[in-house]
Amino acid sequence: MANSSDIKKIALETIALESDSIKNLSKVIDDNFVKIVETLYKSEGKVILTGIGKSAIICMKISATLNSTGTKSTFLHLGDAFHGDLGIIDKNDIIICLSKSGESEEIKKLRNYLELSKNTLIGISCNNNSLLKNISDMFILTEIEKEACHNNLAPTSSSSCHLAIGDSIAMSLQYIKGFTPDNFSSFHPSGNLGKKLNLKAGDLIDKNRNPNVTLESKIDEIINEISSKMYGATAVISNKKIVGIITDGDS
């Protein structure tokens, strides 16, 4: 079993390899990238993210990010596509296909489909001489030196690069669409983010649990009111108006 020093070394090497691969992507943020973003912005259809294996998982995340930032998108598993799921694609949709090698059997089938459907295809791959590049209308090369996997096999650096490119596209679209925090909150009402953007004081009030005492209330009554209503405080009412507040620290 590896010792703690070995584990730390491997972890740091992984982070370094992946971060260096992402930094190298700066060279693909060029006029071609701008054209891709502008094409997606002008599209009247939705964005279809497709891939297989680890690429499929990255596609799901990119599609979710697009949806939450103002660009309609859906994920289509490239393997399932040719067993009936192609029906999700409309004529105005743009397809983004992610593949490390760009040479899978499914991509060959995708080529045959596109010859009939005429949908625009944006390919993203680590292979500049791939079938995916040849059939794509627009293409982004995510070139990597090596995977972080010590066998140079498991998609790690390549997956990180594909995710980064997807986020770059999504954030660029978000900006040119003028997508605001209010827009984001309407798509994301739940969870911690939803609370930060949507939660109001009125949402925190239980209207059936309103601690209140009068000016004539005794100390034991005040303590009981604070304890039973569990707000840590109680309002003091006189002539139907709040004239003060008593907290559990006061009592």
Side-chain angles (χ1 to χ4, degrees):
M1 181 176 176
N3 59 38
S4 60
S5 296
D6 291 335
I7 292 171
K8 291 175 183 177
K9 180 175 179 290
I10 292 168
L12 290 170
E13 288 175 350
T14 299
I15 292 171
L17 276 169
E18 293 190 0
S19 61
D20 287 344
S21 296
I22 291 173
K23 286 179 182 177
N24 288 336
L25 289 177
S26 59
K27 62 188 177 185
V28 305
I29 307 303
D30 52 12
D31 290 342
N32 175 64
F33 181 85
V34 172
K35 180 182 177 183
I36 287 172
V37 172
E38 289 177 341
T39 299
L40 292 167
Y41 173 68
K42 295 174 183 176
S43 172
E44 296 180 355
K46 59 187 179 293
V47 182
I48 307 291
L49 268 295
T50 191
I52 59 173
K54 305 299 186 295
S55 294
I57 297 170
I58 299 299
C59 283
M60 283 190 278
K61 192 277 176 185
I62 296 171
S63 179
T65 299
L66 287 168
N67 280 320
S68 68
T69 54
T71 300
K72 290 186 178 180
S73 175
T74 192
F75 164 69
L76 172 64
H77 193 285
L78 194 54
D80 294 337
F82 304 101
H83 294 275
D85 288 1
L86 286 171
I88 194 67
I89 303 175
D90 296 317
K91 64 178 182 179
N92 292 324
D93 292 346
I94 295 178
I95 301 170
I96 298 179
C97 181
L98 269 61
S99 172
K100 178 185 176 181
S101 69
E103 293 287 349
S104 68
E105 288 298 317
E106 289 81 4
I107 291 175
K108 294 178 183 178
K109 294 177 182 178
L110 180 62
R111 174 187 58 188
N112 297 334
Y113 170 78
L114 291 170
E115 288 176 354
L116 298 175
S117 73
K118 306 302 181 183
N119 289 90
T120 296
L121 175 65
I122 298 170
I124 302 176
S125 175
C126 302
N127 184 356
N128 203 32
N129 298 307
S130 62
L131 172 62
L132 179 58
K133 180 182 179 182
N134 291 336
I135 68 173
S136 295
D137 298 286
M138 288 168 278
F139 181 77
I140 295 176
L141 175 64
T142 52
E143 191 173 19
I144 62 168
E145 182 178 344
K146 68 186 296 286
E147 298 286 9
C149 166
H150 69 274
N151 294 316
N152 197 27
L153 294 172
T156 44
S157 300
S158 58
S159 296
S160 297
C161 286
H162 286 170
L163 181 57
I165 284 293
D167 284 343
S168 299
I169 291 171
M171 295 305 97
S172 299
L173 288 169
Q174 179 189 48
Y175 176 77
I176 61 179
K177 288 185 176 188
F179 196 79
T180 67
D182 286 341
N183 298 136
F184 187 88
S185 68
S186 66
F187 294 160
H188 202 299
S190 297
N192 190 49
L193 281 174
K195 285 183 179 180
K196 288 181 179 179
L197 294 168
N198 295 295
L199 192 65
K200 300 178 179 64
D203 298 324
L204 300 173
I205 297 173
D206 182 352
K207 295 180 180 179
N208 297 316
R209 188 158 52 101
N210 298 319
N212 65 89
V213 296
T214 68
L215 293 171
E216 291 76 29
S217 297
K218 297 180 180 179
I219 189 64
D220 59 338
E221 295 173 330
I222 295 170
I223 293 173
N224 182 63
E225 185 72 359
I226 293 173
S227 300
S228 63
K229 300 297 174 62
M230 295 185 294
Y231 277 136
T234 180
V236 181
I237 306 296
S238 178
N239 296 323
K240 298 183 179 180
K241 293 182 180 180
I242 297 177
V243 295
I245 183 170
I246 301 174
T247 71
D248 51 8
D250 299 322
S251 58

